[in-house]
Amino acid sequence: MAPLGDAVAPAAAAAPGLVVSFGEMLIDFVPDVAGVSLAESGGFVKAPGGAPANVACAVSKLGGSSAFVGKFGDDEFGHMLVEILKQNGVNAEGCLFDQHARTALAFVTLKANGEREFMFYRNPSADMLLTEAELNLDLIRRARIFHYGSISLITEPCRSAHVAAMRAAKSAGILCSYDPNVRLPLWPSAQAARDGIMSIWKEADFIKVSDDEVAFLTQGDANDEKNVLSLWFEGLKLLIVTDGEKGCRYFTKDFKGSVPGYSVNTVDTTGAGDAFVGSLLVNVSKDDSIFYNEAKLREVLQFSNACGAICTTKKGAIPALPTTATALELISKGSN
C-alpha cells in the first residue's frame, strides 16, 4: 500500500455539515488510581461520559458542527452535563430534562493497562425515558449525519424514540452512522444484546465496531476476515473495525485494507473509540466521497487513529479529546 504522506488535516477547506448525535450522556466516576477494584479505590474523578455525547464533543473540538439529542435528570448532574455540551460547542436544542428521573451514573474500574469495566446506576435513568413525542425532529432533519449507539435500544420508551429518529433521518436522506458500543451489563443477556444491536444493523450507512465487538457479535475470531464480512450487507457504504493501538481495518463495496495506529502512553481507554468516530464524522460531513476514494479514506482514517490514540493519554473521555493540531503532531511522529 502507498505511504500516507505528510500530515495534513483531511478536507480542511470544506465547511462541515451538522452531525446530530443521539443517545445517553452520564457521569463517569473514574478511580483516581488505576489497577484497583471499585471497592479498593480511595477516590474517584467525576468525568462526563456517554458515547454519543463524547462523539458530539469530539466533532465540535475538531472544528465540526454538532448537536446532541437526549434526556437528562432535572438534577445538578443533568444541568452540569448540558452545560459541558454547550462549553464544548455542541448545540443543545435537543436536550430535555426529566423531573422524575435521575441522570445516569457509571463507576468505571481502570485496569493497570488502561482498559475498563463498568458498573451502572440507571434504573431507570432519564436518558431511558425519552419518548418519540419529545424528539426535536426539526433539529434531526437539519443534519448531514445522524449518529447513534445501541444503549438507547435497550428499553422503552427510548427504543421507540431511537427508531423514530433514525427513520426520520433516513427519510430525509441523512447519512446514518452506527457505533454499537456494546455494554453487556446493561442488557438482560448476551443474546438480547446481540439481537438488539443487530435489529437496526441494516439501517446504517456506515458502521464502526471494535475487534472485541466483532468477536461478540459473530461469536468468532475478529481477525478472521470471513467473520468481519458476515457483518457486511448490501447498501452499506463503509464498515470499520478498530483494533486498538494496531489501528483499524476498513471495508467498502470496492476496496478494503488497514491503516496502522500509534503507540502512546495509555492511561485510560475511555472515549478512544468516540474520538475516532468523531474525527471520522467531521470528515464525512465535509466530503462523503471518502466512501468511494480509497486514498482519501486512508488519509481520514490515519487522522482518526491519531485522535483515538491521543484520547487514551488522559483520564476521562471529553477532557482527553484531541484537537486537530495535537492529532497532526502525533501523525508527524509516525505510526506503529
Side-chain angles (χ1 to χ4, degrees):
M1 266 166 209
L4 290 166
D6 295 332
V8 177
L18 178 65
V19 177
V20 173
S21 212
F22 175 93
E24 72 284 351
M25 188 177 191
L26 59 150
I27 306 276
D28 286 337
F29 287 93
V30 184
D32 53 9
V33 177
V36 298
S37 70
L38 290 178
E40 293 164 339
S41 182
F44 295 87
V45 177
K46 186 178 68 191
N54 295 342
V55 168
C57 291
V59 167
S60 183
K61 198 160 180 186
L62 291 166
S65 171
S66 70
F68 183 76
V69 173
K71 204 171 194 185
F72 301 79
D74 190 6
D75 50 38
E76 281 198 40
F77 284 152
H79 287 279
M80 179 193 99
L81 290 174
V82 173
E83 200 50 44
I84 286 168
L85 287 174
K86 292 175 181 173
Q87 286 166 7
N88 281 274
V90 177
N91 176 326
E93 282 174 50
C95 295
L96 298 160
F97 294 98
D98 191 308
Q99 295 187 331
H100 306 292
R102 294 289 190 204
T103 301
L105 309 178
F107 285 84
V108 186
T109 308
L110 278 186
K111 298 180 189 172
N113 64 356
E115 287 293 339
R116 65 260 136 97
E117 292 172 350
F118 296 88
M119 184 167 78
F120 293 94
Y121 285 76
R122 56 196 302 271
N123 53 344
S125 53
D127 59 286
M128 300 159 72
L129 302 176
L130 180 68
T131 66
E132 185 177 342
E134 292 171 319
L135 288 172
N136 186 332
L137 291 176
D138 288 342
L139 175 62
I140 291 166
R141 291 188 181 112
R142 296 207 306 266
R144 178 82 188 87
I145 299 170
F146 182 62
H147 174 74
Y148 46 86
S150 69
I151 288 173
S152 42
L153 296 170
I154 297 172
T155 52
E156 293 291 359
C158 190
R159 179 187 164 80
S160 291
H162 179 138
V163 171
M166 189 175 62
R167 297 269 156 82
K170 280 192 81 67
S171 63
I174 292 156
L175 290 168
C176 287
S177 160
Y178 188 20
D179 178 359
N181 250 305
V182 176
R183 296 285 179 267
L184 271 183
L186 294 177
W187 292 87
S189 68
Q191 195 53 47
R194 275 187 209 99
D195 294 345
I197 287 163
M198 297 307 294
S199 70
I200 61 163
W201 196 258
K202 293 186 178 179
E203 304 287 342
D205 291 292
F206 53 110
I207 296 171
K208 171 254 162 192
V209 280
S210 69
D211 48 356
D212 289 344
E213 288 165 344
V214 171
F216 172 72
L217 292 170
T218 66
Q219 296 178 271
D221 180 1
N223 294 311
D224 184 338
E225 197 169 288
K226 189 162 89 276
N227 290 327
V228 176
L229 290 176
S230 72
L231 298 172
W232 182 265
F233 61 89
E234 189 62 39
L236 187 63
K237 293 179 170 65
L238 175 65
L239 174 65
I240 291 176
V241 180
T242 52
D243 291 309
E245 69 170 29
K246 289 186 291 190
C248 65
R249 289 170 276 167
Y250 59 87
F251 302 85
T252 74
K253 184 166 61 75
D254 300 316
F255 48 79
K256 64 184 180 182
S258 62
V259 178
Y262 296 87
S263 290
V264 292
N265 181 22
T266 295
V267 173
D268 175 10
T269 58
T270 308
D274 305 326
F276 179 100
V277 170
S279 167
L280 175 66
L281 298 188
V282 169
N283 285 296
V284 173
S285 74
K286 293 175 183 174
D287 180 7
D288 63 9
S289 73
I290 68 163
F291 297 136
Y292 315 104
N293 181 323
E294 187 171 13
K296 273 189 189 174
L297 176 62
R298 289 180 62 79
E299 192 182 316
V300 164
L301 293 178
Q302 178 192 42
F303 188 73
S304 294
N305 281 344
C307 288
I310 288 163
C311 195
T312 70
T313 61
K314 287 186 197 165
K315 280 194 184 139
I318 292 171
L321 292 170
T323 61
T324 301
T326 54
L328 293 178
E329 187 184 342
L330 180 57
I331 289 169
S332 69
K333 293 175 183 170
S335 57
N336 290 338

